[in-house]
């Protein structure tokens, strides 16, 4: 692991609850880690979204927030940061990433129109479908193979995309979406070369190419490290080169931009941006704040600059590599190659005795919490199944690393907890869903256990804390 290019100035206390307390909390949460209270969690690896530590520069910038309803100078500073870092002409702030996705879907998706994407992201797909669109997966097959060592599993399958584009009139394609550090594949990057080929295809067919640039910094680092000929390029230049291949982008700024709240819809097309500004007043707020405060925009502008700092991004990615390396050494099944923002456990191999209908990744996430207060997230059938369609896709547990928050000792502790559960994996039963929400069910679904989780007599042997 590389040494972090920061030191800690403010700390937040955390505590490990006792095993009976954790068991009670888990049952009350219906075996859904989203429904746990954060006070009951020791190491919180639920998400990297909005959970980063702010820098002193971000905090200082917040003091300069201009809370004017219209014409806020904080907006113009944000606009400048986006333009300088990514080159997009128009900047529309939103309350978070899904606010930008909502606007984009309203702008570009008509009933029956197609969005072609590398795999999917939950909220991205939901907004497209709510607008009547049809989501088409054009990811490379390696994206869905946790054992493939392909260095760019976030790539688009160019042949598949070519077929989709050739089969439809251009007005039937709403946009082509390419997600950086593809979350659902395990935080896997696309290559610059692949994106350039996607660009050629979209230009040829006259359809917009929109990046989900939420994790563009980490994707850029992988391009620099893995793609022939890119190692010598300056990091900020490479970020910009990626962004310049697209017509626009959606950002959840709660990740790479180190802010607790905020998102951006960035566009190059003047007319589309004008329409987006008309819509933003309906759904988010005036175009000069778009659902966040002036001080949020200041923190975001500064965070965007920090997200282009190679040492910061390199340290962050090395944390996943460290945790993943410990788990690999111990024979724990994880997704390879190691991704950017998280280590993904392969629940199908971890719990081969739990069938996919019994939610192995959900059960494994519950077991990790029970064993050591470590909170993770299911990324399997609960998140991925679509209506009544059969699902036999990946069954992953995401150990997501908040930026600039946890130390090497915390990560070593997490590795010990995972190892402890792996050694007792026969004591992790499946689950039955008892409540299924209509939308994005993984957030609030509830479950009951189909057996006893980690026999109390055994689980009572507490893992040693850092
Ligand atoms: C790739 C990607 N796109 C979009 C979003 C949605 O952003 P938000 O949670 O800020 O609404 C997320 C959130 O996790 C994400 O990972």
């Amino acid at each position: 692991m590389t040494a972090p290019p920061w030191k800690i100035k403010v700390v937040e206390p955390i505590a490990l609850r006792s095993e009976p307390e954790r068991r009670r909390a888990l049952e009350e949460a219906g075996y859904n880690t989203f429904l746990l209270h954060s006070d009951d969690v020791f190491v919180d690896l639920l998400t990297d979204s909005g959970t980063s530590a702010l820098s002193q520069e971000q905090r200082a910038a917040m003091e300069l927030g201009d809370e004017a309803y219209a014409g806020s100078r904080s907006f113009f500073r944000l606009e400048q940061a986006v333009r300088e870092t990514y080159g997009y002409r128009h900047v529309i702030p939103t309350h978070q990433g899904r606010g930008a996705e909502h606007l984009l879907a309203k702008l570009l998706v008509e009933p029956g129109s197609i969005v072609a994407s590398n795999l999917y992201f939950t909220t991205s797909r939901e907004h497209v479908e709510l607008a009547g669109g049809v989501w088409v997966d054009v990811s490379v097959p390696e994206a869905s193979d946790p054992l493939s060592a392909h260095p760019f599993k976030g790539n688009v399958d160019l042949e598949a995309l070519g077929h989709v584009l050739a089969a439809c009139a251009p007005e039937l394609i709403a946009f082509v979406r390419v997600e950086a550090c593809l979350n659902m594949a395990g935080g896997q990057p696309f290559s610059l070369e692949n994106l350039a080929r996607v660009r050629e295809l979209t230009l040829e067919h006259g359809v917009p190419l929109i990046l989900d640039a939420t994790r563009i910094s980490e994707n850029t680092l992988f391009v620099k490290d893995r793609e022939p000929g890119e190692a010598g390029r300056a990091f900020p230049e490479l970020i910009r080169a990626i962004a310049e291949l697209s017509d626009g982008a959606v950002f959840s700024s709660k990740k790479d931009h180190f802010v607790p709240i905020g998102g951006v819809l960035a566009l190059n097309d003047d007319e589309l941006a004008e329409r987006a500004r008309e819509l933003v007043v309906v759904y988010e707020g005036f175009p000069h704040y778009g659902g966040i405060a002036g001080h949020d925009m200041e923190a975001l502008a500064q965070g965007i600059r920090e997200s282009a700092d190679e040492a910061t991004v390199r340290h962050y990615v090395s944390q996943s590599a460290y945790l993943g390396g410990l788990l690999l050494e111990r024979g724990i099944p994880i997704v390879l190659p190691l991704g950017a923002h998280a280590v993904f456990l392969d629940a199908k191999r971890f719990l081969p005795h739990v069938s996919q209908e019994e939610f192995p990744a959900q059960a494994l996430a519950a077991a990790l919490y029970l064993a050591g207060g470590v909170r993770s997230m299911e990324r399997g059938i609960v998140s991925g199944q679509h209506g009544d369609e059969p699902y036999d896709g990946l069954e992953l547990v995401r150990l997501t690393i908040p930026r600039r928050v946890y130390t090497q000792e915390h990560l070593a502790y997490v590795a010990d907890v995972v190892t402890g559960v792996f050694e007792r994996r026969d004591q992790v039963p499946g689950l039955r869903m008892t409540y299924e929400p209509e939308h994005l069910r993984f957030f609030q679904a509830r479950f009951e256990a189909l057996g006893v989780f980690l026999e109390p007599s055994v689980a009572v042997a507490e893992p040693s804390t850092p």
Side-chain angles (χ1 to χ4, degrees), residues 96-98 101 121 123 179 183 212 215 252 254-255:
Q96 58 184 78
R98 68 200 70 182
E101 291 171 341
F121 185 72
T123 53
E179 182 183 322
N183 208 343
D212 184 324
R215 296 187 181 83
S252 165
K254 300 170 72 172
K255 284 82 171 175

Side-chain angles (χ1 to χ4, degrees), residues 313-454:
V313 180
R314 195 169 284 289
H315 168 260
Y316 176 58
V317 171
S318 81
Q319 286 200 308
S320 298
Y322 171 74
L323 175 57
L326 289 180
L327 297 178
L328 258 186
E329 270 168 22
R330 300 173 192 184
I332 307 226
I334 60 174
V335 174
L336 291 172
L338 288 162
H341 61 295
V343 176
F344 290 74
L345 305 176
D346 183 354
K348 281 187 185 170
R349 283 185 292 144
F350 200 115
L351 300 178
H353 56 283
V354 179
S355 72
Q356 196 150 26
E357 294 69 49
E358 294 180 354
F359 312 111
Q362 189 78 30
L364 180 53
L368 296 179
Y369 171 71
L370 180 59
V374 173
R375 174 151 72 165
S376 56
M377 186 193 290
E378 191 263 11
R379 279 299 181 221
I381 188 167
V382 184
S383 309
Q385 190 174 36
H386 216 205
D388 291 333
E389 277 173 24
Y391 177 93
D392 62 358
L394 293 172
E395 196 60 38
L396 307 179
V397 170
R398 194 180 77 177
L399 296 161
T400 336
I401 305 188
R403 291 168 183 77
R404 310 192 289 211
V405 170
Y406 289 116
T407 63
Q408 191 168 355
E409 291 96 320
H410 289 113
L411 299 179
Y413 170 80
V414 170
D416 288 348
V417 171
V418 175
T419 310
V421 174
F422 190 59
E423 282 161 3
R424 292 181 278 148
R425 56 194 179 279
D426 56 318
Q427 293 178 32
V428 179
L431 296 166
R432 192 176 75 80
M433 199 184 288
T434 55
Y435 166 63
E436 179 173 7
E438 196 184 329
H439 297 285
L440 301 173
R441 64 181 184 172
F442 62 95
F443 280 126
Q444 298 180 87
R446 300 183 71 85
F447 302 83
E448 67 185 17
L450 294 171
V452 179
F453 267 66
L454 305 176

Side-chain angles (χ1 to χ4, degrees), residues 75-76 78-80 82-83 88-104 107 247-253 257 262-292 297 300 304:
F75 167 75
F76 295 107
L78 170 61
E79 185 182 56
Q80 198 188 352
V82 173
R83 284 183 178 160
Y88 297 117
R89 271 216 301 283
H90 299 283
V91 178
I92 292 123
T94 57
H95 73 284
Q96 58 184 78
R98 68 200 70 182
E101 291 171 341
H102 179 210
L103 296 180
L104 187 72
L107 284 172
D247 297 298
V250 163
F251 293 85
S252 165
S253 294
H257 297 156
V264 174
L265 174 61
L267 296 167
N268 283 333
D269 184 83
D270 297 342
E271 195 240 297
L272 204 58
E274 209 41 59
R275 284 176 48 219
R277 285 190 202 99
E278 282 167 24
L279 281 178
V280 81
V281 292
V282 180
Y283 295 109
E284 301 280 320
F286 195 73
H288 292 162
Y289 70 87
I292 51 176
M297 290 191 284
L300 177 47
I304 287 173

Side-chain angles (χ1 to χ4, degrees), residues 233-244:
R233 268 170 104 174
F235 191 64
E237 180 201 321
L238 205 42
I239 291 182
R240 193 157 167 151
I242 290 175
E244 281 178 346

Side-chain angles (χ1 to χ4, degrees), residues 5-200:
W6 38 260
K7 58 182 178 173
I8 297 164
K9 189 162 0 203
V10 178
V11 294
E12 176 181 342
I14 52 174
L16 179 63
R17 299 271 186 251
S18 68
E19 190 274 342
E21 286 170 332
R22 298 198 296 272
R23 192 173 291 275
R24 198 175 323 117
L26 187 63
E27 281 166 11
E28 281 170 9
Y31 291 84
N32 185 345
T33 52
F34 274 100
L35 302 179
L36 290 165
H37 292 204
S38 67
D39 276 351
D40 293 328
V41 174
F42 184 48
V43 180
D44 200 347
L45 304 188
L46 182 72
T47 174
D48 61 330
S49 186
T51 52
S52 316
L54 291 161
S55 67
Q56 60 180 3
E57 285 75 16
Q58 284 178 293
R59 285 195 168 270
M62 288 172 84
E63 289 297 317
L64 302 176
D66 175 2
E67 306 301 346
Y69 190 94
S72 162
R73 65 177 169 269
S74 302
F75 167 75
F76 295 107
R77 278 205 272 264
L78 170 61
E79 185 182 56
Q80 198 188 352
V82 173
R83 284 183 178 160
E84 274 172 24
T85 311
Y86 306 109
Y88 297 117
R89 271 216 301 283
H90 299 283
V91 178
I92 292 123
T94 57
H95 73 284
Q96 58 184 78
R98 68 200 70 182
E101 291 171 341
H102 179 210
L103 296 180
L104 187 72
K106 288 253 170 225
L107 284 172
L108 293 177
V109 178
E110 300 286 340
S113 67
I114 285 173
V115 172
S117 169
N118 51 350
L119 288 182
Y120 73 100
F121 185 72
T122 50
T123 53
S124 325
R125 182 172 68 186
E126 186 81 9
H127 279 297
V128 165
E129 291 181 350
L130 285 173
V134 179
W135 194 272
V136 177
D137 173 21
V138 288
S139 59
V140 290
E142 290 85 350
S144 304
D145 176 1
L147 291 174
S148 158
H150 193 295
F152 291 109
K153 287 178 165 184
N155 277 355
V156 167
D157 182 330
L158 297 165
E159 213 180 302
L161 177 63
H163 282 141
V164 173
L165 295 177
C168 305
E171 58 277 12
L172 262 184
I173 310 282
F175 57 96
V176 172
R177 171 186 178 275
V178 181
E179 182 183 322
C181 270
L182 188 56
N183 208 343
M184 291 299 177
Q188 306 288 331
F190 55 70
S191 70
L192 187 56
E193 199 224 332
N194 184 261
L195 186 66
R197 301 280 305 281
V198 174
R199 182 58 176 163
E200 281 166 20

